[in-house]
Amino acid sequence: MTLYNGTYGFQVDYPEDWEIDVSSFASFFTSEYEDFDDLILENISVATDDLSYYGYSDMGLDEYTDLSLDGLLTDPDYVLVDRGERDLGSYEGRYLLGGYEFGGMELEVLQIFTLSDGVVYLFTYTYESAKADLWEDTVDHMIDSFEITSFVDPASGLPTLDGVNEELASDMPDTGVARTSLIHVLQRL
């Protein structure tokens, strides 16, 4: 299946049996339970961040990645495992791979960033380290399927509002939250 999120200007494929939740600040995808002992469901979020909101419209991808890492490292439990270049769909990207311990389990968080017209697109995948291979093909397909479908309206500075695809929207409750809200994912300066 494909999520078309016109509010934030992207589309991404996702597995039919994963749960999806589209909020005012991100789109969330959650794996199914593997068995009764499955305590952590692997999950993905896709969000945007308009850098002009913070006065950083000239910021580059490497600088944004460094800023993001600085924010993550303020958490004493976060350990950076790797960083480098990785495309998000067909767009140049950077990634951070880090780890946490949670409830006796080792978790890993893969964040991939791409930047277009002053808007950062952030793909975040959280999973149990011991199950890293379980969803690898699925997640790689989601990463490869990512497309930017619209951009921030230069006149208003807001995302274009063509809405979430009707099939998905009909299954979602109306939260009454303004659709023009932008995500604020990382701790800001």
Short mmCIF file of all heavy atoms in Angstrom, two decimals, residues 82-122:
data_model
loop_
_atom_site.label_atom_id
_atom_site.label_comp_id
_atom_site.label_asym_id
_atom_site.label_seq_id
_atom_site.Cartn_x
_atom_site.Cartn_y
_atom_site.Cartn_z
N ASP A 82 26.71 4.41 14.14
CA ASP A 82 27.25 4.69 12.82
C ASP A 82 26.57 5.93 12.25
O ASP A 82 25.46 6.30 12.68
CB ASP A 82 27.00 3.49 11.89
CG ASP A 82 27.82 3.53 10.61
OD1 ASP A 82 28.78 4.32 10.52
OD2 ASP A 82 27.50 2.74 9.69
N ARG A 83 27.21 6.55 11.30
CA ARG A 83 26.63 7.67 10.56
C ARG A 83 27.24 7.68 9.18
O ARG A 83 28.32 7.16 8.96
CB ARG A 83 26.85 8.99 11.26
CG ARG A 83 28.28 9.48 11.25
CD ARG A 83 28.50 10.80 11.93
NE ARG A 83 27.97 11.88 11.11
CZ ARG A 83 27.84 13.13 11.53
NH1 ARG A 83 28.23 13.46 12.74
NH2 ARG A 83 27.34 14.06 10.74
N GLY A 84 26.51 8.27 8.23
CA GLY A 84 27.05 8.31 6.89
C GLY A 84 26.02 8.80 5.88
O GLY A 84 25.06 9.48 6.24
N GLU A 85 26.23 8.41 4.64
CA GLU A 85 25.35 8.81 3.55
C GLU A 85 24.43 7.65 3.19
O GLU A 85 24.88 6.51 3.09
CB GLU A 85 26.16 9.22 2.33
CG GLU A 85 27.04 10.43 2.59
CD GLU A 85 27.88 10.83 1.38
OE1 GLU A 85 27.73 10.20 0.31
OE2 GLU A 85 28.68 11.75 1.53
N ARG A 86 23.16 7.95 3.01
CA ARG A 86 22.18 6.97 2.54
C ARG A 86 21.03 7.74 1.93
O ARG A 86 20.47 8.64 2.57
CB ARG A 86 21.68 6.08 3.67
CG ARG A 86 20.65 5.07 3.15
CD ARG A 86 20.38 3.95 4.07
NE ARG A 86 19.48 3.00 3.44
CZ ARG A 86 19.02 1.95 4.03
NH1 ARG A 86 19.40 1.67 5.27
NH2 ARG A 86 18.20 1.13 3.40
N ASP A 87 20.67 7.39 0.72
CA ASP A 87 19.56 8.07 0.05
C ASP A 87 18.24 7.71 0.70
O ASP A 87 18.06 6.59 1.21
CB ASP A 87 19.51 7.68 -1.43
CG ASP A 87 20.68 8.25 -2.22
OD1 ASP A 87 21.39 9.13 -1.70
OD2 ASP A 87 20.87 7.80 -3.36
N LEU A 88 17.32 8.65 0.67
CA LEU A 88 15.93 8.43 1.06
C LEU A 88 15.15 8.52 -0.23
O LEU A 88 15.00 9.61 -0.80
CB LEU A 88 15.48 9.48 2.07
CG LEU A 88 14.06 9.35 2.62
CD1 LEU A 88 13.82 7.96 3.23
CD2 LEU A 88 13.78 10.42 3.66
N GLY A 89 14.71 7.37 -0.74
CA GLY A 89 14.15 7.33 -2.09
C GLY A 89 15.27 7.67 -3.05
O GLY A 89 16.38 7.15 -2.94
N SER A 90 15.00 8.58 -3.95
CA SER A 90 16.03 8.98 -4.92
C SER A 90 16.72 10.27 -4.50
O SER A 90 17.43 10.89 -5.29
CB SER A 90 15.40 9.15 -6.31
OG SER A 90 14.43 10.18 -6.27
N TYR A 91 16.54 10.67 -3.25
CA TYR A 91 17.07 11.93 -2.76
C TYR A 91 18.31 11.70 -1.91
O TYR A 91 18.36 10.79 -1.08
CB TYR A 91 16.01 12.67 -1.93
CG TYR A 91 14.71 12.79 -2.69
CD1 TYR A 91 13.71 11.86 -2.53
CD2 TYR A 91 14.51 13.83 -3.59
CE1 TYR A 91 12.52 11.95 -3.25
CE2 TYR A 91 13.34 13.94 -4.32
CZ TYR A 91 12.35 12.99 -4.14
OH TYR A 91 11.20 13.08 -4.86
N GLU A 92 19.31 12.57 -2.10
CA GLU A 92 20.53 12.49 -1.31
C GLU A 92 20.17 12.56 0.17
O GLU A 92 19.36 13.39 0.58
CB GLU A 92 21.45 13.65 -1.68
CG GLU A 92 22.72 13.69 -0.87
CD GLU A 92 23.58 14.91 -1.18
OE1 GLU A 92 23.12 15.82 -1.90
OE2 GLU A 92 24.70 14.94 -0.67
N GLY A 93 20.77 11.69 0.96
CA GLY A 93 20.44 11.68 2.37
C GLY A 93 21.63 11.40 3.26
O GLY A 93 22.72 11.04 2.79
N ARG A 94 21.41 11.58 4.55
CA ARG A 94 22.38 11.25 5.58
C ARG A 94 21.65 10.40 6.61
O ARG A 94 20.44 10.51 6.77
CB ARG A 94 22.93 12.51 6.27
CG ARG A 94 23.61 13.49 5.35
CD ARG A 94 24.91 12.94 4.77
NE ARG A 94 25.59 13.94 3.96
CZ ARG A 94 25.37 14.12 2.67
NH1 ARG A 94 24.48 13.38 2.02
NH2 ARG A 94 26.04 15.05 2.00
N TYR A 95 22.42 9.57 7.31
CA TYR A 95 21.79 8.75 8.35
C TYR A 95 22.58 8.79 9.64
O TYR A 95 23.79 9.03 9.65
CB TYR A 95 21.59 7.31 7.88
CG TYR A 95 22.86 6.48 7.87
CD1 TYR A 95 23.26 5.77 8.99
CD2 TYR A 95 23.66 6.41 6.73
CE1 TYR A 95 24.42 5.01 9.00
CE2 TYR A 95 24.82 5.66 6.72
CZ TYR A 95 25.20 4.96 7.86
OH TYR A 95 26.34 4.23 7.85
N LEU A 96 21.86 8.54 10.71
CA LEU A 96 22.42 8.31 12.03
C LEU A 96 21.84 7.00 12.53
O LEU A 96 20.63 6.78 12.45
CB LEU A 96 22.03 9.43 13.01
CG LEU A 96 22.50 10.83 12.67
CD1 LEU A 96 21.86 11.85 13.63
CD2 LEU A 96 24.02 10.92 12.74
N LEU A 97 22.68 6.10 13.00
CA LEU A 97 22.24 4.85 13.60
C LEU A 97 22.71 4.87 15.04
O LEU A 97 23.91 4.99 15.30
CB LEU A 97 22.82 3.64 12.85
CG LEU A 97 22.48 2.27 13.44
CD1 LEU A 97 20.97 2.02 13.42
CD2 LEU A 97 23.23 1.17 12.69
N GLY A 98 21.76 4.79 15.94
CA GLY A 98 22.10 4.85 17.36
C GLY A 98 21.38 3.77 18.13
O GLY A 98 20.50 3.08 17.61
N GLY A 99 21.75 3.63 19.38
CA GLY A 99 21.16 2.60 20.21
C GLY A 99 20.81 3.11 21.60
O GLY A 99 21.35 4.10 22.08
N TYR A 100 19.85 2.40 22.20
CA TYR A 100 19.41 2.64 23.56
C TYR A 100 19.19 1.29 24.23
O TYR A 100 18.95 0.30 23.56
CB TYR A 100 18.03 3.32 23.59
CG TYR A 100 17.95 4.71 23.06
CD1 TYR A 100 17.62 4.96 21.74
CD2 TYR A 100 18.16 5.79 23.90
CE1 TYR A 100 17.50 6.25 21.25
CE2 TYR A 100 18.04 7.09 23.43
CZ TYR A 100 17.71 7.30 22.10
OH TYR A 100 17.60 8.58 21.63
N GLU A 101 19.21 1.29 25.56
CA GLU A 101 18.72 0.14 26.28
C GLU A 101 17.37 0.52 26.85
O GLU A 101 17.19 1.61 27.41
CB GLU A 101 19.67 -0.26 27.41
CG GLU A 101 19.23 -1.55 28.09
CD GLU A 101 20.22 -2.03 29.14
OE1 GLU A 101 21.42 -1.86 28.93
OE2 GLU A 101 19.74 -2.55 30.16
N PHE A 102 16.39 -0.36 26.70
CA PHE A 102 15.04 -0.09 27.19
C PHE A 102 14.47 -1.38 27.76
O PHE A 102 14.31 -2.36 27.04
CB PHE A 102 14.15 0.41 26.05
CG PHE A 102 12.73 0.66 26.45
CD1 PHE A 102 12.39 1.80 27.16
CD2 PHE A 102 11.74 -0.25 26.13
CE1 PHE A 102 11.09 2.04 27.54
CE2 PHE A 102 10.43 -0.02 26.51
CZ PHE A 102 10.11 1.12 27.20
N GLY A 103 14.20 -1.38 29.06
CA GLY A 103 13.61 -2.55 29.70
C GLY A 103 14.42 -3.82 29.51
O GLY A 103 13.85 -4.89 29.33
N GLY A 104 15.73 -3.70 29.53
CA GLY A 104 16.60 -4.85 29.36
C GLY A 104 16.81 -5.27 27.91
O GLY A 104 17.49 -6.25 27.65
N MET A 105 16.20 -4.56 26.98
CA MET A 105 16.37 -4.87 25.56
C MET A 105 17.20 -3.79 24.90
O MET A 105 17.11 -2.62 25.27
CB MET A 105 15.01 -4.94 24.86
CG MET A 105 14.18 -6.12 25.25
SD MET A 105 12.62 -6.13 24.37
CE MET A 105 11.75 -4.86 25.26
N GLU A 106 17.99 -4.20 23.92
CA GLU A 106 18.76 -3.25 23.14
C GLU A 106 17.91 -2.81 21.94
O GLU A 106 17.45 -3.65 21.17
CB GLU A 106 20.06 -3.88 22.65
CG GLU A 106 21.03 -4.22 23.75
CD GLU A 106 21.58 -2.98 24.46
OE1 GLU A 106 21.82 -1.97 23.78
OE2 GLU A 106 21.75 -3.05 25.69
N LEU A 107 17.70 -1.51 21.83
CA LEU A 107 16.96 -0.95 20.70
C LEU A 107 17.92 -0.17 19.83
O LEU A 107 18.88 0.42 20.32
CB LEU A 107 15.85 -0.02 21.18
CG LEU A 107 14.77 -0.61 22.06
CD1 LEU A 107 13.75 0.46 22.44
CD2 LEU A 107 14.09 -1.78 21.38
N GLU A 108 17.62 -0.15 18.53
CA GLU A 108 18.38 0.68 17.61
C GLU A 108 17.41 1.62 16.91
O GLU A 108 16.24 1.29 16.71
CB GLU A 108 19.14 -0.18 16.59
CG GLU A 108 20.29 -0.92 17.22
CD GLU A 108 21.17 -1.65 16.23
OE1 GLU A 108 20.93 -1.58 15.01
OE2 GLU A 108 22.12 -2.30 16.70
N VAL A 109 17.93 2.80 16.58
CA VAL A 109 17.13 3.81 15.89
C VAL A 109 17.93 4.27 14.68
O VAL A 109 19.04 4.78 14.82
CB VAL A 109 16.82 5.00 16.81
CG1 VAL A 109 16.01 6.05 16.07
CG2 VAL A 109 16.10 4.55 18.07
N LEU A 110 17.35 4.06 13.50
CA LEU A 110 17.93 4.53 12.26
C LEU A 110 17.17 5.77 11.83
O LEU A 110 15.95 5.72 11.67
CB LEU A 110 17.83 3.46 11.17
CG LEU A 110 18.21 3.90 9.75
CD1 LEU A 110 19.70 4.25 9.68
CD2 LEU A 110 17.85 2.82 8.74
N GLN A 111 17.87 6.89 11.68
CA GLN A 111 17.26 8.11 11.18
C GLN A 111 17.92 8.47 9.86
O GLN A 111 19.15 8.51 9.77
CB GLN A 111 17.45 9.26 12.16
CG GLN A 111 16.72 9.06 13.47
CD GLN A 111 16.87 10.24 14.38
OE1 GLN A 111 17.95 10.78 14.54
NE2 GLN A 111 15.77 10.66 14.97
N ILE A 112 17.08 8.70 8.85
CA ILE A 112 17.58 9.13 7.55
C ILE A 112 16.97 10.49 7.25
O ILE A 112 15.76 10.67 7.38
CB ILE A 112 17.22 8.13 6.44
CG1 ILE A 112 17.75 6.74 6.79
CG2 ILE A 112 17.79 8.59 5.10
CD1 ILE A 112 17.30 5.66 5.82
N PHE A 113 17.81 11.44 6.84
CA PHE A 113 17.37 12.80 6.55
C PHE A 113 17.60 13.10 5.07
O PHE A 113 18.62 12.70 4.51
CB PHE A 113 18.21 13.83 7.33
CG PHE A 113 18.39 13.54 8.78
CD1 PHE A 113 19.52 12.87 9.23
CD2 PHE A 113 17.45 13.94 9.70
CE1 PHE A 113 19.71 12.61 10.57
CE2 PHE A 113 17.63 13.68 11.05
CZ PHE A 113 18.76 13.02 11.48
N THR A 114 16.68 13.82 4.48
CA THR A 114 16.93 14.45 3.20
C THR A 114 16.38 15.86 3.28
O THR A 114 15.55 16.16 4.16
CB THR A 114 16.34 13.67 2.00
OG1 THR A 114 16.89 14.19 0.79
CG2 THR A 114 14.83 13.72 1.97
N LEU A 115 16.84 16.73 2.42
CA LEU A 115 16.50 18.14 2.49
C LEU A 115 16.08 18.62 1.11
O LEU A 115 16.76 18.35 0.12
CB LEU A 115 17.72 18.91 2.98
CG LEU A 115 17.65 20.40 3.21
CD1 LEU A 115 16.59 20.75 4.25
CD2 LEU A 115 19.01 20.92 3.66
N SER A 116 14.95 19.32 1.04
CA SER A 116 14.48 19.87 -0.22
C SER A 116 13.77 21.19 0.04
O SER A 116 12.83 21.23 0.84
CB SER A 116 13.52 18.89 -0.91
OG SER A 116 13.05 19.41 -2.12
N ASP A 117 14.21 22.24 -0.62
CA ASP A 117 13.61 23.57 -0.49
C ASP A 117 13.42 24.00 0.96
O ASP A 117 12.38 24.54 1.34
CB ASP A 117 12.26 23.61 -1.22
CG ASP A 117 12.41 23.57 -2.73
OD1 ASP A 117 13.55 23.79 -3.21
OD2 ASP A 117 11.42 23.34 -3.43
N GLY A 118 14.44 23.77 1.79
CA GLY A 118 14.39 24.20 3.18
C GLY A 118 13.55 23.33 4.09
O GLY A 118 13.34 23.67 5.25
N VAL A 119 13.06 22.20 3.59
CA VAL A 119 12.27 21.28 4.41
C VAL A 119 13.05 19.99 4.56
O VAL A 119 13.51 19.40 3.58
CB VAL A 119 10.89 21.00 3.77
CG1 VAL A 119 10.12 19.96 4.58
CG2 VAL A 119 10.09 22.29 3.65
N VAL A 120 13.22 19.55 5.81
CA VAL A 120 13.86 18.27 6.09
C VAL A 120 12.78 17.21 6.12
O VAL A 120 11.72 17.39 6.74
CB VAL A 120 14.60 18.30 7.45
CG1 VAL A 120 15.12 16.91 7.82
CG2 VAL A 120 15.74 19.29 7.41
N TYR A 121 13.05 16.10 5.45
CA TYR A 121 12.19 14.91 5.52
C TYR A 121 12.94 13.90 6.36
O TYR A 121 14.09 13.56 6.05
CB TYR A 121 11.89 14.39 4.12
CG TYR A 121 11.08 15.37 3.30
CD1 TYR A 121 11.70 16.41 2.63
CD2 TYR A 121 9.70 15.27 3.26
CE1 TYR A 121 10.96 17.33 1.91
CE2 TYR A 121 8.95 16.19 2.54
CZ TYR A 121 9.59 17.22 1.86
OH TYR A 121 8.84 18.13 1.16
N LEU A 122 12.32 13.43 7.43
CA LEU A 122 12.98 12.57 8.41
C LEU A 122 12.27 11.22 8.47
O LEU A 122 11.07 11.15 8.78
CB LEU A 122 12.93 13.24 9.79
CG LEU A 122 13.38 12.43 10.99
CD1 LEU A 122 14.84 12.03 10.86
CD2 LEU A 122 13.16 13.22 12.27
#
